[in-house]
Amino acid sequence: MRKIKKGRNRRQPSNVYKKHPEGVYRLIDVPKVFSVLKNPEETIRFFHELQQRLTDRKRTELNLRGVELLTTDALMYLLALIDIFEQQGVVLLRGNVPRAPDVRRLIDASGFLNIIARRRVTDRSDPDPEVMAIRMGRRGEPQIAKEVARFGPDKIDTSGEGARLRAQEAAIYATLMECMGNTNQHAYRSNLPYAPKWWIMAVHDAVKETVNITILDYGQGIPRTIRKRVLEGVGQRLPRRIFGRDNRLALSALKGEDRSRTGEDFHGKGLPQIYGHSTEGLISGLTIVSGHAHVSLDKREHWDTTKPFQGTLISFRVAAAKDVPEGQER
């Protein structure tokens, strides 16, 4: 009788090297809570490690099997990383799929796998009526902004609130057009080896009767952009806050407190307008992550993350007349 070797079917540990015809890939665990919004420190640290591996042209396989919670921001940011390296001819990344059914459903509904396979969006239809699949662009796209603006209020109960419905749509549209416009105006340097893009996705939470909307770019970020514009200014007094922490600078810019002697806002009028939509209750749950800054208006929290977030992430939600309590998002 042939002797059976022990351990032959033993589960392979994570962070090991796996051989493929194209070369050796290292298996890297993705955080169980894969979310910049819910788990910023670990998720941002993971993205730093992944970016460094791709920069060094090291073959990497992402192990997503253990992901238990996924939010749209992390999914889009991963897609953005893949995109900018593919534009530079670096295709050294592969991965598996999560075991958790809810996480897998969100990935399927987002269109993530189709975008990876096709390298472009060829079909604008959304496979899940509760999810507006990922959209991307390089400039302001009024049609996409309108689509998201209508998707939000249409999914929640706004019966008898016609005026509020129109105000919400206008607030969402203005917020998204500002973020899209910043992609070319502020977010990216002119000498980058890849084309600037923004990424957007919306998800309806039927239980809480809210729609969560997230948009991000992979640019310089709000704190760095403000400091650059201030330092490039001629003959203006430098506010002390630009030398302080990123979160305080981002919060000040959001409130419109950073102004030059001429009264012009250092980051345009967009951020204070978004802040106004939040204070008026047209949008809620406004959270901004950019550079080291992590600003959450509903929770009245703002702090600096250990590692910087490359780019700008803006997330918010829309609800019926009375907003729901802060809680776990999809």
Side-chain angles (χ1 to χ4, degrees):
M1 180 182 296
R2 189 174 62 180
K3 187 176 182 180
I4 300 176
K5 293 182 179 180
K6 293 182 178 180
R8 180 182 292 272
N9 296 321
R10 189 175 298 170
R11 184 178 176 185
Q12 193 174 31
S14 59
N15 295 332
V16 298
Y17 289 91
K18 299 179 69 176
K19 284 191 175 182
H20 291 270
E22 301 88 347
V24 176
Y25 280 72
R26 185 181 181 188
L27 192 65
I28 301 295
D29 285 335
V30 175
K32 289 184 178 181
V33 178
F34 193 28
S35 170
V36 177
L37 296 174
K38 303 292 184 181
N39 185 24
E41 292 289 355
E42 186 179 6
T43 302
I44 294 174
R45 186 168 60 249
F46 163 80
F47 280 127
H48 271 263
E49 179 184 359
L50 177 58
Q51 180 179 3
Q52 189 59 56
R53 289 192 60 82
L54 294 176
T55 300
D56 295 339
R57 295 180 177 266
K58 294 180 179 179
R59 300 180 188 275
T60 304
E61 180 168 350
L62 301 182
N63 181 23
L64 291 97
R65 294 198 184 279
V67 175
E68 299 172 356
L69 187 149
L70 171 70
T71 52
T72 56
D73 53 274
L75 192 60
M76 290 192 296
Y77 199 76
L78 177 58
L79 191 59
L81 267 181
I82 294 171
D83 180 74
I84 65 170
F85 278 98
E86 284 190 346
Q87 289 187 54
Q88 301 172 71
V90 180
V91 187
L92 302 170
L93 190 65
R94 62 177 66 202
N96 52 36
V97 294
R99 296 191 194 92
D102 289 344
V103 177
R104 179 60 193 268
R105 277 195 295 270
L106 181 59
I107 292 177
D108 290 341
S110 72
F112 177 89
L113 298 176
N114 289 336
I115 294 172
I116 295 298
R118 301 173 186 176
R119 302 294 187 268
R120 59 192 177 93
V121 177
T122 57
D123 185 1
R124 285 296 186 188
S125 63
D126 298 316
D128 186 335
E130 302 302 306
V131 177
M132 199 200 81
I134 296 170
R135 308 291 197 258
M136 69 194 81
R138 298 182 179 179
R139 297 177 179 83
E141 294 280 356
Q143 189 58 41
I144 294 179
K146 288 179 182 177
E147 184 181 1
V148 183
R150 290 169 182 163
F151 178 88
D154 282 353
K155 290 291 180 181
I156 57 179
D157 182 12
T158 53
S159 56
E161 300 175 16
R164 178 180 171 79
L165 176 64
R166 290 190 294 272
Q168 281 183 322
E169 288 186 1
I172 298 169
Y173 177 83
T175 297
L176 298 180
M177 288 300 295
E178 163 66 15
C179 296
M180 292 174 179
N182 277 341
T183 299
N184 273 319
Q185 294 175 17
H186 306 302
Y188 293 87
R189 303 190 307 273
S190 59
N191 60 344
L192 291 175
Y194 53 86
K197 292 182 182 179
W198 46 259
W199 311 80
I200 187 171
M201 184 174 171
V203 179
H204 176 222
D205 187 328
V207 176
K208 296 177 180 176
E209 276 299 302
T210 61
V211 173
N212 303 310
I213 300 171
T214 304
I215 183 168
L216 64 83
D217 65 59
Y218 192 82
Q220 297 184 75
I222 294 172
R224 184 174 178 182
T225 300
I226 294 174
R227 290 187 178 102
K228 180 181 177 182
R229 293 184 65 181
V230 172
L231 294 174
E232 288 176 349
V234 180
Q236 63 185 20
R237 183 178 178 182
L238 300 181
R240 293 180 59 184
R241 62 176 65 92
I242 74 162
F243 303 107
R245 293 183 176 273
D246 281 7
N247 71 85
R248 294 174 183 172
L249 183 60
L251 185 60
S252 294
L254 191 62
K255 293 180 177 180
E257 295 174 350
D258 287 308
R259 295 182 179 275
S260 65
R261 288 180 179 178
T262 61
E264 296 179 353
D265 185 68
F266 291 139
H267 201 266
K269 298 179 180 179
L271 286 177
Q273 285 180 344
I274 295 173
Y275 179 76
H277 298 324
S278 177
T279 57
E280 293 166 8
L282 297 175
I283 63 175
S284 57
L286 180 61
T287 301
I288 296 178
V289 184
S290 188
H292 288 279
H294 193 293
V295 178
S296 176
L297 287 188
D298 271 21
K299 295 181 180 179
R300 297 182 180 180
E301 296 177 347
H302 54 95
W303 71 91
D304 272 13
T305 56
T306 304
K307 287 186 175 294
F309 179 84
Q310 176 69 39
T312 298
L313 161 65
I314 295 182
S315 178
F316 59 93
R317 63 179 181 267
V318 289
K322 187 175 181 180
D323 195 8
V324 296
E326 185 73 16
Q328 189 176 20
E329 297 174 7
R330 225 179 133 179

